[in-house]
Amino acid sequence: KEAFPASVDDASDELAENLSNHKSIVTIAQIQSMMPANAEIQLGKHLAKLGISSLVLEDACVGDEEDVKYTAYAIEELQKK
């Protein structure tokens, strides 16, 4: 069983309950970057609301000129309320 939901539609009540009961735990979720329709932004925000403290965007930096542009965009969007 996966520890984190793969999308905002996946059930996550158990995870939210566990995180709320253990607030001192640092949690890091890895999510795929550049998903269709910017789904990584919605998923990242969803995970943050559940109590995930950090996100790693997998394959966000691939060594091309888009790296800085994408990471700046993703960070800005994930930090918006």
Side-chain angles (χ1 to χ4, degrees), residues 45-66:
K45 287 182 175 187
H46 176 67
L47 292 171
K49 285 180 184 175
L50 293 175
I52 301 298
S53 50
S54 299
L55 299 170
V56 174
L57 290 170
E58 182 179 4
D59 298 324
C61 295
V62 294
D64 65 14
E65 65 278 351
E66 295 289 318

Side-chain angles (χ1 to χ4, degrees), residues 5 7 15-16 23 27 29-30 48 51 54 62 66 71 74 76 79 81:
S7 78
L15 175 61
K23 294 189 184 294
T27 51
Q30 179 178 336
S54 299
V62 294
E66 295 289 318
T71 54
E76 180 179 336
Q79 290 179 337
K81 297 277 178 187

Side-chain angles (χ1 to χ4, degrees), residues 10-77:
D10 290 348
S12 51
D13 294 339
E14 182 180 354
L15 175 61
E17 183 179 337
N18 283 332
L19 292 173
S20 68
N21 291 333
H22 301 89
K23 294 189 184 294
S24 63
I25 294 176
V26 174
T27 51
I28 303 169
Q30 179 178 336
I31 56 177
Q32 183 61 47
S33 63
M34 299 184 196
M35 296 171 71
N38 299 320
E40 73 276 19
I41 303 301
Q42 287 77 34
L43 178 57
K45 287 182 175 187
H46 176 67
L47 292 171
K49 285 180 184 175
L50 293 175
I52 301 298
S53 50
S54 299
L55 299 170
V56 174
L57 290 170
E58 182 179 4
D59 298 324
C61 295
V62 294
D64 65 14
E65 65 278 351
E66 295 289 318
D67 288 354
V68 173
K69 186 185 221 181
Y70 173 75
T71 54
Y73 157 78
I75 291 167
E76 180 179 336
E77 291 299 310

